[in-house]
Amino acid sequence: MTDPDEKRQLEQLEARIAEAKQGQAPKPRQDEHYSQAQLAWRMVIELVAGLGIGFGIGYGLDSLFGTIPIFLVLFTMLGLAAGIKTMLRSAKEIQEKKLAEEAEKKDEGT
């Protein structure tokens, strides 16, 4: 074998190795599914947190004043309203982000 022939074979071998490595390389993850699940959990947690905080404040005030559970009911409803308001704000934020991404993709396409 001549020296240039060996170099050519070595280059071919390196190319085949690189090709095999590309075939075995892990595919990029699809984080979209996970990010949607994270957003859903975020909204659920915001709602439950609002309810829990309202319940806690109402229960504490009822215990402090020794009243019937009027504050419990009142603050639980206020906590529910606050949780829903926070969820809607998060949904609006997510929607604006998606619209901005779509507009950016549209601008790149033209």
Side-chain angles (χ1 to χ4, degrees):
M1 284 183 139
T2 63
D3 194 43
D5 194 32
E6 288 178 1
K7 286 183 181 180
R8 184 179 50 81
Q9 287 179 345
L10 184 60
E11 288 173 1
Q12 288 176 348
L13 179 63
E14 288 175 353
R16 286 178 46 202
I17 290 173
E19 194 175 303
K21 283 183 179 179
Q22 282 182 343
Q24 293 178 351
K27 296 179 181 174
R29 289 185 6 187
Q30 294 292 334
D31 289 336
E32 185 66 26
H33 170 71
Y34 297 112
S35 66
Q36 292 296 325
Q38 290 172 349
L39 295 173
W41 273 112
R42 174 183 167 189
M43 294 176 131
V44 169
I45 289 170
E46 288 170 350
L47 180 64
V48 171
L51 277 169
I53 291 170
F55 180 85
I57 291 172
Y59 182 79
L61 288 174
D62 279 332
S63 296
L64 182 66
F65 297 130
T67 59
I68 57 173
I70 189 73
F71 289 118
L72 178 72
V73 172
L74 177 69
F75 279 93
T76 301
M77 294 299 163
L78 289 173
L80 177 65
I84 290 172
K85 184 178 178 183
T86 306
M87 275 180 47
L88 291 174
R89 193 176 332 140
S90 295
K92 185 178 179 183
E93 174 187 320
I94 293 165
Q95 183 180 16
E96 288 173 354
K97 186 185 288 186
K98 290 284 184 189
L99 289 174
E101 287 175 1
E102 288 176 11
E104 186 177 305
K105 287 180 183 177
K106 190 183 220 183
D107 288 343
E108 287 177 0
T110 18

